[in-house]
């Protein structure tokens, strides 16, 4: 399932004459916000998410009254905070009797709301509730594995969407080369039903196996929780097409180079010519002048002949 790798925060790399060479994705920052009312469980959830994303996240603890992500005009404040903090991922927590322990995960394109997923948090266990060797704690900047278990991630539209958002939220920085020593944790997401996912965060422990390939064990380090999808909003098709546009690379021109000082330079090749065999075209200015003078002399001689007669 694609996770829209270059969807939200990107800059263009151009050459010295302004030609776009490549669209480069920048790191996606996460904005964490509190609603008008939150519960102790929800405060702990937001704190754990911030702890997992602390190298690339911004957290506001002040309560926000006028944020209604799924209502018309209610996303204005989210877009304002996204622009202010330059964040393309949003985690918004609120608590009410109708929707207890409610989390809204959102993504933006050009600092406008792109899509939203609303989930309820159940059976939550915080990171502090787990006892383990602190040497196994995830290191800052490490890359996680992801395991999505269950056919509902392919058949249920809600879980397809949730999978994309979770990948974008927790995958970390986009890299080309990876040191396996930096892959020390895994998120295991199990689809219990078409709307419910059990999510757990584990550290990877390497054990001796008697061979060159070590045996791998999972040690749960938290948090763990059940995520129940309540509402979700897919992007508008026109916005999705605009966000998924890629830079079309220009056709390479033959014998054309680019110089940092002179700009664009071109080479022209002419066949070898021998002295004495050069031919001049009829468009040479010198030949035209000679013809005009010859014609003038001819007319002058005709006038003299008529006058003599």
């Amino acid at each position: 399932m694609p996770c829209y790798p270059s969807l939200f925060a990107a800059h263009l790399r151009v050459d010295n004459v302004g030609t776009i060479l490549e669209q480069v994705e920048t790191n996606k920052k996460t904005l964490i916000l509190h609603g008008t009312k939150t519960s102790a469980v929800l405060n702990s959830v937001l704190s754990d998410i911030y702890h997992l994303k602390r190298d690339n996240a911004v957290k506001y603890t002040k309560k926000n009254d006028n944020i209604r992500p799924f209502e018309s005009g209610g996303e204005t404040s989210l877009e304002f905070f996204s622009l202010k903090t330059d964040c393309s991922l949003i985690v918004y927590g609120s608590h009410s009797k109708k929707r207890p322990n409610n989390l809204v995960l959102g993504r933006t394109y050009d600092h406008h709301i792109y899509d939203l997923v609303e989930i309820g948090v159940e059976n939550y266990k915080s990171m502090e509730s787990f006892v383990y060797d602190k040497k196994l704690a995830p290191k800052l900047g490490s890359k996680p594995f992801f395991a999505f278990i269950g056919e509902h991630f392919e058949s249920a539209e809600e879980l397809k969407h949730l999978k994309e958002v979770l990948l974008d939220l927790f995958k970390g920085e986009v890299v080309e080369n990876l040191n396996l020593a930096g892959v020390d944790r895994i998120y295991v997401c199990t689809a219990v039903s078409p709307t419910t996912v059990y999510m757990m965060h584990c550290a990877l422990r390497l054990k001796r196996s008697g061979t060159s390939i070590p045996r791998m064990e999972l040690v749960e380090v938290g948090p763990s929780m059940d995520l129940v999808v309540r509402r979700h909003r897919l992007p508008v098709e026109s916005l999705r097409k605009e966000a998924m546009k890629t830079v079309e690379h220009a056709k390479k021109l033959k014998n054309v180079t680019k110089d940092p000082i002179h700009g664009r330079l071109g080479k022209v090749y002419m066949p070898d010519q021998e002295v004495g065999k050069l031919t001049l075209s009829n468009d040479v200015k010198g030949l035209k002048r000679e013809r005009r003078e010859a014609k003038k002399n001819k007319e002058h001689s005709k006038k003299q002949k008529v006058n003599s007669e």
Side-chain angles (χ1 to χ4, degrees):
M1 179 61 60
C3 59
Y4 305 122
S6 56
L7 184 63
F8 311 100
H11 67 269
L12 301 178
R13 185 168 66 86
V14 299
D15 61 6
N16 58 300
V17 293
T19 304
I20 297 175
L21 301 177
E22 184 182 2
Q23 188 172 6
V24 182
E25 183 184 18
T26 58
N27 295 334
K28 299 177 183 179
K29 293 169 59 179
T30 302
L31 174 63
I32 300 175
L33 294 168
H34 290 253
T36 306
K37 183 180 179 182
T38 56
S39 63
V41 171
L42 200 57
N43 290 336
S44 182
V45 171
L46 296 177
S47 296
D48 282 352
I49 292 176
Y50 177 70
H51 180 76
L52 295 172
K53 300 268 302 174
R54 63 189 182 277
D55 57 333
N56 210 6
V58 177
K59 184 183 178 184
Y60 286 168
T61 57
K62 185 179 178 181
K63 295 181 179 180
N64 298 277
D65 301 331
N66 55 347
I67 296 180
R68 303 288 186 272
F70 284 88
E71 297 179 9
S72 178
E75 70 277 3
T76 306
S77 295
L78 286 179
E79 295 175 349
F80 169 77
F81 288 125
S82 172
L83 178 62
K84 180 180 178 181
T85 58
D86 192 24
C87 291
S88 55
L89 297 169
I90 295 173
V91 178
Y92 172 72
S94 62
H95 179 76
S96 65
K97 186 176 180 180
K98 184 178 180 181
R99 292 186 174 89
N101 300 327
N102 198 58
L103 273 183
V104 176
L105 310 179
R107 299 185 290 179
T108 64
Y109 170 73
D110 194 21
H111 301 297
H112 294 286
I113 296 298
Y114 179 80
D115 61 353
L116 296 168
V117 178
E118 185 182 66
I119 53 178
V121 178
E122 299 178 358
N123 302 321
Y124 172 72
K125 294 181 181 179
S126 66
M127 298 176 69
E128 294 180 354
S129 64
F130 290 89
V131 179
Y132 57 90
D133 185 359
K134 297 305 177 182
K135 293 181 180 179
L136 296 176
K139 300 176 182 63
L140 189 65
S142 62
K143 292 286 288 184
F145 282 116
F146 285 88
F148 291 94
I149 304 170
E151 61 180 10
H152 296 301
F153 283 113
E154 303 299 329
S155 59
E157 192 66 31
E158 293 87 347
L159 296 195
K160 281 184 182 180
H161 192 189
L162 179 62
K163 177 182 176 181
E164 294 177 9
V165 176
L166 289 177
L167 281 172
D168 257 350
L169 181 61
F170 292 109
K171 70 180 180 181
E173 183 180 352
V174 178
V175 296
E176 295 181 359
N177 300 315
L178 185 65
N179 186 349
L180 290 180
V183 185
D184 58 357
R185 55 201 176 102
I186 181 172
Y187 291 97
V188 182
C189 301
T190 305
V192 181
S193 71
T195 58
T196 305
V197 173
Y198 173 63
M199 179 179 177
M200 59 187 296
H201 180 221
C202 300
L204 300 178
R205 176 185 287 176
L206 301 180
K207 292 283 190 176
R208 292 181 180 179
S209 62
T211 63
S212 58
I213 301 175
R215 181 168 57 89
M216 186 176 294
E217 288 185 354
L218 300 183
V219 179
E220 192 170 1
V221 297
S224 69
M225 66 194 92
D226 289 340
L227 305 178
V228 182
V229 180
R230 291 170 176 166
R231 290 183 291 180
H232 74 118
R233 190 177 80 187
L234 294 172
V236 181
E237 185 63 22
S238 59
L239 181 61
R240 189 189 70 83
K241 289 182 178 180
E242 183 182 353
M244 293 295 290
K245 280 182 181 179
T246 56
V247 177
E248 296 181 1
H249 295 278
K251 204 182 227 183
K252 190 174 181 181
L253 300 177
K254 194 175 181 181
N255 302 327
V256 176
T257 58
K258 289 168 184 176
D259 185 85
I261 298 176
H262 299 95
R264 208 177 220 185
L265 301 176
K267 293 182 180 179
V268 178
Y269 292 90
M270 295 183 64
D272 295 335
Q273 296 182 357
E274 297 181 8
V275 178
K277 293 186 178 180
L278 295 176
T279 57
L280 299 177
S281 65
N282 294 331
D283 296 331
V284 180
K285 290 184 178 180
L287 291 178
K288 290 181 179 180
R289 186 170 57 252
E290 290 179 1
R291 289 197 190 100
R292 287 197 300 270
E293 292 176 354
K295 185 178 180 181
K296 187 176 179 180
N297 293 335
K298 187 176 180 180
E299 291 177 352
H300 183 67
S301 60
K302 282 183 179 182
K303 288 181 181 179
Q304 287 181 349
K305 187 175 180 182
V306 171
N307 293 334
S308 64
E309 291 178 354

